[in-house]
Amino acid sequence: MIKFRHIFTIIILITVCLTTLQVRSQAKDDSANHLLQRVRITFNQNNEQEFYDAVAEYRNYLLKQGNISGYYLNWKNEVLYDVNHNHFYRALRKTMAMQRDMEKRDATQEYYHVTHLRGIIYSLRGNIPLARQYFEKALEQVNHAQPNNLVAIYMDLSNIEMDIQPVEAIKHLNSAIEIIKGNGASFEYSDAIGFKVIVAFAMRDWKQVNECFAEYMDLKERLGNDFSTTYYNYAVMCKSVADKRYDDAIRQTYKLTNTTDIYKFQTEIYELAGDTAHAFEAQKRYLTIKDSVNNVIMSEEMVGSANDLQNAELRNEAVAKRNQQLQWALPSVIIVGLLIGFFIYRMNRLHYLRKLQKQNKELLIARDKAQESERMKINFLQNMSHEIRTPLNVISGYAQIISNPHARLSDTERADMALRITHSTSIIVHIVDEILDISGKESIHYLDKTDLVHCNALARDMLAPYMGHQDNVEIKLEPLLKESCCILVNRHEVEKILHHLLDNAVKFTQQGNITLRTYQSKTDNSVCFSVTDTGCGVKEGDEEKIFEHFYKSDVYKEGVGLGLSLARRVARQLSGDVVLDTRYKEGCRFILKLPKE
C-alpha cells in the first residue's frame, strides 16, 4: 500500500500551527500581526536564515508578552520547517532543546508539543510503532479543555494508521472532524473531508470515496474562499480511480506537488488497472527518487553527528586545559609560601603533579581513542544502512513482482528483473568482502613479498577486463618501463590495489580517456603505476580526506568509501604508498609506488 506520510503530515501541522497562531494573535497589536505574517511568508521560501530570523524575532516578542503557549507553538513551526526540508537530525536536536526550555520554565502544559514533534519525526523516518507511541502519549498530555490542540494529533494518528489499520485511521479522523465541527471552522472542516477521501482510497472503500468526494465538492461550492484546496488534486485523483478512469487519474498525479508521491500513486493506479509493465516502471522511478532523498537525509545526519563530536572534543580539551592550569597554580602558591620551611613537602608535591599529569595524558589518549572509535562506528553503521538497504530494496521490490502469480510479465521483463536481483546481490557481497578485507588488514603490519612480477605484463593483465566496456572513454596502456623490469611483491595484493584505482577511474569518468602508465620514479629507486583519468577530479581540500575510512566525495555513487583507504594501507604494508598527484588538474591521477628491491 502506498504511504503518504511525509507530505500529508507536514501539510497538516503547518496548517494547524499557523492557523492557531493567527487566531491567538488577533487580539494583539499590529506588531504581532506583522511578525506573524513575516513568519508565514518566509516559511514557504527557501531562504533558511531569513526564516530563522523571523521565527526568533517573533518568539522573543511572544516571550516578552508572557504568551508562553504561543512562544512554544512558534518554536514548533521552526522544527516543522526543518522537517519539511529533510533536516531530521537538526529537527530532533531543536526538539530536545525545546524540552529543556520547558523543564526550565516548568511549562508542563506545553510538554505535548515536544511529544507530538517526536512522533512526527519518527513517523517520517519510517519508525511507525515509535511514532504511534509518542502520538498516543501526546493525547494524554494535552489539555482536553482546549480541544483544538487535539486535531493535529488525531490527524497524524490517522495518517500513520491508514495503511495498516484503516479502521483505526477512520476513527481518529472522525474524532478530529467532530472537534472541528464543534468549533464551526469551515476551512479546517473542508481540509479534513479532503483528507478523508484519501484515507478511503487507501482502504479501497470506493463507496466512501464517492460519498466523501461529493461532500468535498459541495463544500467547495458553498464555502468559496474558506474552502481548503490542500488535498484537492489528491481527491480528484482518488475519485477518478473510484470511477475506473485510470488514464485521468494518471494525468492527475502530475499535478501533485511531491515528486515521490507522483510515482507512488502511479504505481498503485497502474496495479489497480492491471497494467503491470507501467507499474513496474513507476516503481523503479519511485525507488530511485526515494533512495536519493534518503541519501541526502543520511548525509545531513552524518555531518551533524560529526560536528557534535568535534564540538564535544573541543569542549573536553578546554576543560582539560583549565584543569591543567589549576593544577599548576595551586602548587605554585604553595611553593612560594613554603619554599624554605617545606622543601621536602615541595619535592613530594612536584612528584605527585608529574604523576597526575602522566595520568591525565593517558586519560586524554584513551578519550581520543574512544571518540575515534565512536565516530568510526557511527560512520560504519550509517554507510552500511544506506549501501546495503539500496540493493535490498531492489531485491525485495523485484522479488515481489516476480513472485506475484497474477503478474503478466514477458520473458524479457523477468530476465531483466532477475539480472537486477543478481547485480544487487553481488553489490552486497562486494561490500561485505571489502569490510572483511580492511578488517583483516588492520590487524597486520607486514605482507609477504615472494612473487616475482613483470611490471608491464601485470599492467596489461589488469587493464584487459576494462577494454571496450566504457562508451565515450578510451582506455589505454603506456608502458615506459623495460619489458624485463621485475619487482618482488605480493602479486595478489598489488592486483587488488590497481583494481580499486581502475574501478574509481571508470566510476567517475563519463568521457575522455583513462591511462594506466608504468615508469621509474625520478626521485627514488621505486616502480610507479599511475592511473590517470579525465573525470570529475577531487575538489580542493579533500586530497587527504579521500583516503579516510568511509569517506565519499559523491554520496550518490555506489560503494562504501573503503577502496582508497584499503589501497593505501596495503601499499604501505608492502613498503610503498598510494598518493594523489595534486599537480594534475584535468581529472584524477593516483600513483602506486612500490620499492624495487
Side-chain angles (χ1 to χ4, degrees), residues 442-487:
E442 293 284 354
S443 62
I444 60 176
H445 301 281
Y446 179 82
L447 293 172
D448 290 333
K449 296 183 288 183
T450 57
D451 301 321
L452 187 62
V453 175
H454 287 77
C455 299
N456 290 342
L458 174 62
R460 291 189 188 94
D461 292 342
M462 291 302 304
L463 207 57
Y466 297 90
M467 292 294 190
H469 292 287
Q470 188 80 352
D471 296 334
N472 303 321
V473 177
E474 180 186 6
I475 299 177
K476 57 185 178 180
L477 173 67
E478 290 185 4
L480 303 183
L481 292 172
K482 296 180 179 179
E483 288 298 320
S484 60
C485 180
C486 298
I487 56 175

Side-chain angles (χ1 to χ4, degrees), residues 246 269-281 398 400-415 417:
Y246 301 116
I269 294 168
Y270 281 129
E271 286 180 358
L272 290 170
D275 190 343
T276 307
H278 281 95
F280 169 66
E281 289 299 323
Y398 291 150
Q400 289 178 18
I401 295 175
I402 292 176
S403 62
N404 185 356
H406 303 292
R408 296 190 295 271
L409 300 173
S410 66
D411 292 342
T412 302
E413 289 175 329
R414 288 185 181 276
M417 292 181 191

Side-chain angles (χ1 to χ4, degrees), residues 59 65 90 222 542:
R59 196 161 67 222
Q65 297 298 318
R90 188 188 305 174
R222 290 191 293 106
D542 283 1

Side-chain angles (χ1 to χ4, degrees), residues 1 7 18 54 104 142 184-185 203 261 271 340 383 436 507 538 547 561 581:
M1 179 62 67
I7 187 170
L18 290 178
K104 177 182 177 181
V142 73
M203 296 172 62
D261 280 347
E271 286 180 358
I340 300 174
N383 272 278
L436 293 176
K507 186 187 301 183
V538 176
F547 291 101
D581 186 354

